[in-house]
Amino acid sequence: MNTAHELVEQAVGDHRHHNVPPRIREIVDRHHQTLLGLANALIAAGRDEDEVVQIIQKASESFSIKLRTETESLSS
């Protein structure tokens, strides 16, 4: 079975973006740690890898939409 880190990477890709402001990077890094915790909890609960990836993708999409909306409002 893949590790939580591998499943998160599969679901959302590489989260490191060096061309973003430090505060945004901190928020994204904290979200990534949350996703890792969620993946670990799902694995411990016996969820299969495909289900873990789907759940992580949905959580990440929701976060991305919220982050995009909030950062766009800051630049207006």
Side-chain angles (χ1 to χ4, degrees), residues 20-71:
V20 297
R23 178 66 181 131
I24 301 298
R25 193 173 323 130
E26 288 173 19
I27 293 167
V28 171
D29 287 345
R30 189 170 52 244
H31 176 68
H32 189 262
Q33 291 302 314
T34 300
L35 291 177
L36 286 171
L38 175 58
N40 277 318
L42 291 167
I43 291 167
R47 302 295 179 105
D48 67 35
E49 291 181 4
D50 290 335
E51 191 174 9
V52 172
V53 169
Q54 282 184 325
I55 293 168
I56 297 299
Q57 284 174 331
K58 287 182 191 275
S60 185
E61 288 169 11
S62 175
F63 171 77
S64 294
I65 290 167
K66 182 177 179 184
L67 182 62
R68 187 176 310 115
T69 301
E70 290 183 7
T71 55

